[in-house]
């Protein structure tokens, strides 16, 4: 278990997630659901890649599994990407 890979760290770097959602409306639904989590500042959606990705920024330490469960509650999956990918 690693602090960086199991949590969204506060700051301007954020954590990237891949998702099986394809349509922009589905991604907006995911974005709205994630924004309901206390401490989430922003969710940016990247429509130019496949599979689709979104990046989560927080003001406090947020467990990745919490974000994954929020996305799963709307019928999709979210997988955290490697925090050290350049």
């Amino acid at each position: 278990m690693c602090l960086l890979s199991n949590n969204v760290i506060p700051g301007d770097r954020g954590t990237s997630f891949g998702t099986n959602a394809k349509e922009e409306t589905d991604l907006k639904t995911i974005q709205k659901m994630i924004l309901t989590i206390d401490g989430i500042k922003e969710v940016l959606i990247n429509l130019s890649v496949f599979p689709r990705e979104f990046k989560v920024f927080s003001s406090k330490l947020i467990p990745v599994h919490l974000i994954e469960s929020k996305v799963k509650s709307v019928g999709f999956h979210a997988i955290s990407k490697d925090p050290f990918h350049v």
Side-chain angles (χ1 to χ4, degrees), residues 23-39:
E23 302 298 323
E24 187 173 359
T25 55
D26 295 333
L27 292 161
K28 293 287 185 185
T29 302
I30 289 171
Q31 181 183 40
K32 287 178 188 175
M33 185 59 82
I34 294 171
L35 286 170
T36 64
I37 300 171
D38 182 43

Side-chain angles (χ1 to χ4, degrees), residues 3-45:
L3 179 69
L4 293 177
S5 63
N6 291 330
N7 295 286
V8 177
I9 307 297
D12 60 352
R13 184 151 188 189
T15 300
S16 293
F17 292 82
T19 184
N20 63 333
K22 296 176 186 165
E23 302 298 323
E24 187 173 359
T25 55
D26 295 333
L27 292 161
K28 293 287 185 185
T29 302
I30 289 171
Q31 181 183 40
K32 287 178 188 175
M33 185 59 82
I34 294 171
L35 286 170
T36 64
I37 300 171
D38 182 43
I40 299 295
K41 293 190 309 187
E42 186 176 15
V43 179
L44 298 178
I45 299 170

Side-chain angles (χ1 to χ4, degrees), residues 29-77:
T29 302
I30 289 171
Q31 181 183 40
K32 287 178 188 175
M33 185 59 82
I34 294 171
L35 286 170
T36 64
I37 300 171
D38 182 43
I40 299 295
K41 293 190 309 187
E42 186 176 15
V43 179
L44 298 178
I45 299 170
N46 186 353
L47 295 171
S48 64
V49 297
F50 188 82
R52 300 293 189 233
E53 293 180 355
F54 58 88
K55 195 168 206 174
V56 178
F57 299 89
S58 69
S59 61
K60 65 181 189 178
L61 202 65
I62 307 287
V64 165
H65 71 82
L66 182 59
I67 293 168
E68 292 171 344
S69 66
K70 284 286 189 179
V71 173
K72 194 171 185 178
S73 73
V74 293
F76 298 100
H77 295 284

